[in-house]
Amino acid sequence: AQSVTQLGSHVSVSEGALVLLRCNYSSSVPPYLFWYVQYPNQGLQLLLKYTSAATLVKGINGFEAEFKKSETSFHLTKPSAHMSDAAEYFCAVSGGSYIPTFGRGTSLIVHP
Amino acid sequence: DTGVSQNPRHKITKRGQNVTFRCDPISEHNRLYWYRQTLGQGPEFLTYFQNEAQLEKSRLLSDRFSAERPKGSFSTLEIQRTEQGDSAMYLCASSFKSGQGAGELFFGEGSRLTVL
């Protein structure tokens, strides 16, 4: 069994500020972890993934995430937010079957 | 390849009617997934195929829901006797079954169902 909890349905930051989107997971097997982004009227696209290699994972558009087993967390960060980062972000977990279970999503709002 | 394609993009129907959605995956991918997404929620897994075999269908929401992938290429998701609670976005995704790209889902833009 696996599940994902995303803390905060909305996160609001100023342009240029740090972005931190929180994700905690539960998995009965070693997890594969993913972050997806969904822009308005577009399909979900993969930002980054963790598959048991390096615990700090770098993705597209300057995003990165760190796998912390002791905290069962996989938080997404970006040092400096851009207006174009405004979107819905989904954390997902899967086991060896590669069927991702998604969180409820966090809407990132970027203020000028 | 232009990615995962879903049709129609939007379907409005009356309660009790049947609807069918089509998904054309990325041609090199072995796996095809169907998810449902309602407002304010993340995608909810429904079923998936590996080539033409439907390997998991216990998560389909009721026996009114069925999916096919007859030749291991495109897939259809049918909802019979639609109910207002079926109103949602239906997402299709595809991926490789193994190797470096395993588990990386490529999503289509979705098919939005509105049941009146």
Side-chain angles (χ1 to χ4, degrees):
Chain A
Q2 54 203 29
S3 66
V4 164
T5 300
Q6 291 186 240
L7 299 175
S9 58
H10 294 83
V11 169
S12 182
V13 299
S14 298
E15 192 174 20
L18 171 72
V19 175
L20 171 61
L21 304 183
R22 299 177 186 274
C23 172
N24 288 88
Y25 71 91
S26 172
S27 178
S28 56
V29 297
Y32 297 97
L33 293 158
F34 308 85
W35 277 98
Y36 285 82
V37 61
Q38 186 175 31
Y39 298 103
N41 299 316
Q42 295 187 26
L44 282 80
Q45 55 181 284
L46 183 69
L47 266 182
L48 50 79
K49 68 174 183 179
Y50 166 78
T51 56
S52 76
T55 57
L56 182 62
V57 181
K58 295 187 183 299
I60 61 172
N61 301 335
F63 284 93
E64 63 182 36
E66 186 172 9
F67 172 68
K68 292 187 176 180
K69 184 178 179 180
S70 61
E71 299 177 8
T72 61
S73 68
F74 191 58
H75 301 330
L76 182 70
T77 61
K78 182 174 180 178
S80 176
H82 293 264
M83 297 294 292
S84 60
D85 294 327
E88 191 82 15
Y89 291 81
F90 295 94
C91 181
V93 61
S94 77
S97 64
Y98 301 122
I99 303 175
T101 297
F102 286 82
R104 296 180 65 174
T106 298
S107 179
L108 177 64
I109 302 162
V110 183
H111 297 286
Chain B
D1 198 336
T2 56
V4 178
S5 176
Q6 292 188 244
N7 288 288
R9 292 291 311 280
H10 196 172
K11 178 72 176 178
I12 302 173
T13 191
K14 293 182 178 179
R15 184 164 51 96
Q17 297 294 304
N18 299 343
V19 297
T20 300
F21 300 113
R22 176 179 169 126
C23 173
D24 288 89
I26 293 172
S27 57
E28 297 86 358
H29 287 170
N30 323 92
R31 285 194 169 189
L32 186 149
Y33 303 76
W34 284 101
Y35 281 79
R36 185 179 80 152
Q37 187 177 20
T38 53
L39 196 61
Q41 302 293 321
E44 175 187 13
F45 172 74
L46 296 178
T47 187
Y48 87 102
F49 295 83
Q50 186 159 299
N51 301 314
E52 67 274 11
Q54 189 174 13
L55 299 186
E56 173 60 66
K57 58 181 180 180
S58 65
R59 306 277 285 277
L60 285 167
L61 300 166
S62 78
D63 58 7
R64 297 184 296 106
F65 287 71
S66 63
E68 294 183 345
R69 195 183 184 195
K71 297 183 179 179
S73 56
F74 74 92
S75 175
T76 58
L77 176 70
E78 182 182 17
I79 309 174
Q80 296 183 328
R81 305 180 303 281
T82 53
E83 302 173 356
Q84 289 185 326
D86 297 332
S87 295
M89 180 75 85
Y90 292 86
L91 304 175
C92 177
S94 66
S95 77
F96 291 108
K97 70 175 182 179
S98 61
Q100 188 175 0
E104 295 182 22
L105 270 59
F106 289 75
F107 282 86
E109 294 182 333
S111 292
R112 181 171 296 283
L113 174 64
T114 302
V115 182
L116 302 177

